Amino acid sequence: MLDLLKHWRMVLTFALLYLSQGICFGIAMDALPTLLRHDGAALHALAFLPLVGIPWVVKFLWAPQVDNHWSPRLGRRRSWIIPMQILVLLCIACLASIGLRVETAGIAVGLLIVASLASATQDIATDGMAAEYFSGNMLARINAIQVGGTMVGFFVGGAGTLLLSGYLGQTSAFSLLALVPLLSLVCVGWLHVAPAKEKQPDVAHASLWRFIKRPKALALVVLALLSAMTSVSGFGLSKLFLNDAGWSLQAIGQLGMSGGVVTIVLGCGGGAWLIRVLGLWPTFILAVGMAGAAALTWLLQANGMLATQTGLIWLAVGLGSFATGATSVVIMTASMAFAAQSDQAGTDMTAVQSTRDLGEMLSSTLLVGLTAQAGYSGGFLAGMVMAILASLVALNVSRHRVGERAAG
């Protein structure tokens, strides 16, 4: 705690930056399809909305450029963070003006693509700055802030947008969300001195090939992909299911926010504790098993084998939320420690995160498309199968102790 207080200005800045990034992702991946469905959009028209997240998947293509080019006046990382945050702020302000409706869907998607591109680029610089500025125990604490801040932002942008839209309307909802990137800009400008490692100009030329050649890099990429494929049905498909079951936007938003609390407090906090007790990949296996149990609970309700009851819905949300937080902590703990050992931290972190985002995007698109053809039972069944596959592959990887040193 004393270390956090000593670096409180940097800690606050990172928290707001990760929160802002998560908000944009939550709006695009969670709130957008639910609001459009509520406004009457057909399921098949929603299947490709997760493609708004493509910049997060392909950001590895320009990550080396973010590592290699910057303005000496602003610093290696602020040169990218400041202009990207301005773009994010402008896009959210425009959304507050036009709203998310079927009639404005085209413009809204375009704005969210720009915001997604800006957030993804900013994330490269933010992760690089975190890995370069902190070390030792502080690196683990900042990793917790990274995972927790992004998760909180996702739920605020997703479930929070639904909740605020239901009570205040979309204009007020997006106006309130725009305060977060505005505050993060103030904090970034507040950092008068660049981190010590940013002052060193002789940084080796960053490249993806340097990442691929490093031991354990490919193992981290595979596990990042699989971990992302375990939680999609709990945070996307289930909201569509509840909407079609007659739930109000306010009720769905409240449920999603509660799930977010479980993800942050129990998933991230409990996941970090379990890593110390059980180890890195045993914790991962336990978490994806809970994700599979959540998908099974949704499946039994969707096909009528179990009545749709509030208790079962809360159980499924709780299990899936814990699994999402715990698997994220496992992957990001391993990958940030891995990136901190190199001089191209932004590129290394981005390679792992892009793979994880690819898993989320593909799973979201395929599950919604499958649901349009085979019903909700087919979508939840696919989610359960992916969780089983993830646990089997992680079990095989754990036998070789992949990433245990990074977790330590």
Side-chain angles (χ1 to χ4, degrees):
M1 181 61 69
L2 291 178
D3 288 338
L4 290 176
L5 291 176
K6 180 181 179 181
H7 301 278
W8 67 272
R9 186 176 293 183
M10 289 295 296
V11 170
L12 176 61
T13 301
F14 280 122
L16 287 172
L17 287 172
Y18 286 123
L19 182 63
S20 175
Q21 293 167 190
I23 285 176
C24 291
F25 204 53
I27 293 173
M29 302 293 288
D30 195 3
L32 178 62
T34 304
L35 286 171
L36 292 182
R37 178 63 172 172
H38 185 73
D39 199 43
L43 270 178
H44 66 80
L46 305 179
F48 297 101
L49 288 181
L51 295 177
V52 171
I54 281 181
W56 287 86
V57 178
V58 300
K59 64 181 179 176
F60 67 90
L61 294 175
W62 61 87
Q65 301 305 314
V66 175
D67 271 335
N68 291 329
H69 302 287
W70 70 91
S71 166
R73 179 183 177 185
L74 292 177
R76 189 182 187 193
R77 302 307 179 184
R78 292 200 307 166
S79 296
W80 291 93
I81 293 173
I82 291 175
M84 295 303 105
Q85 275 294 80
I86 292 175
L87 275 177
V88 169
L89 177 60
L90 291 175
C91 288
I92 296 179
C94 289
L95 287 177
S97 175
I98 68 170
L100 290 179
R101 302 184 304 276
V102 172
E103 295 81 4
T104 63
I107 298 175
V109 169
L111 289 169
L112 287 172
I113 289 174
V114 174
S116 181
L117 178 62
S119 294
T121 303
Q122 175 194 300
D123 187 57
I124 299 170
T126 304
D127 285 344
M129 184 165 67
E132 291 165 350
Y133 190 92
F134 295 105
S135 61
N137 292 331
M138 275 300 297
L139 184 64
R141 294 186 179 117
I142 287 298
N143 177 67
I145 291 174
Q146 180 214 29
V147 175
T150 304
M151 290 280 185
V152 170
F154 180 86
F155 290 115
V156 170
T161 296
L162 298 179
L163 189 62
L164 290 172
S165 296
Y167 284 116
L168 304 176
Q170 291 189 28
T171 298
S172 297
F174 288 119
S175 297
L176 289 174
L177 294 181
L179 293 176
V180 176
L182 179 60
L183 289 175
S184 69
L185 267 174
V186 172
C187 286
V188 172
W190 196 12
L191 299 178
H192 301 297
V193 180
K197 290 186 179 179
E198 285 192 4
K199 296 179 181 178
Q200 300 176 5
D202 299 327
V203 178
H205 189 72
S207 70
L208 290 172
W209 180 241
R210 291 182 62 206
F211 166 78
I212 294 172
K213 290 192 299 183
R214 292 184 63 191
K216 301 179 182 178
L218 293 181
L220 278 175
V221 165
V222 170
L223 287 166
L225 177 67
L226 292 173
S227 67
M229 298 175 71
T230 63
S231 59
V232 172
S233 63
F235 289 110
L237 195 58
S238 61
K239 289 182 174 61
L240 299 179
F241 172 73
L242 293 175
N243 181 82
D244 289 358
W247 281 47
S248 66
L249 284 179
Q250 293 93 324
I252 296 173
Q254 289 171 348
L255 184 67
M257 290 296 287
S258 299
V261 173
V262 173
T263 298
I264 303 303
V265 178
L266 299 181
C268 294
W273 178 79
L274 285 173
I275 289 172
R276 293 196 298 270
V277 174
L278 302 178
L280 200 64
W281 304 119
T283 299
F284 181 90
I285 294 170
L286 174 63
V288 295
M290 296 178 71
L296 176 61
T297 304
W298 287 114
L299 171 64
L300 294 176
Q301 293 179 86
N303 63 19
M305 295 183 67
L306 290 177
T308 302
Q309 301 176 354
T310 302
L312 289 175
I313 290 171
W314 279 97
L315 173 64
V317 169
L319 289 173
S321 299
F322 177 88
T324 297
T327 55
S328 296
V329 168
V330 169
I331 294 300
M332 300 319 299
T333 297
S335 60
M336 184 166 281
F338 177 86
Q341 299 169 6
S342 74
D343 55 8
Q344 54 170 41
T347 299
D348 290 348
M349 281 293 296
T350 298
V352 178
Q353 288 189 332
S354 290
T355 306
R356 183 173 173 83
D357 296 334
L358 173 64
E360 292 180 352
M361 186 190 73
L362 288 178
S363 297
S364 296
T365 301
L366 293 174
L367 285 175
V368 174
L370 177 62
T371 300
Q373 299 296 322
Y376 285 106
S377 295
F380 289 128
L381 177 61
M384 186 175 66
V385 170
M386 286 189 292
I388 294 172
L389 178 61
S391 64
L392 291 175
V393 174
L395 178 62
N396 181 65
V397 172
S398 69
R399 292 171 181 169
H400 298 87
R401 298 183 179 275
V402 175
E404 287 289 351
R405 182 177 300 177

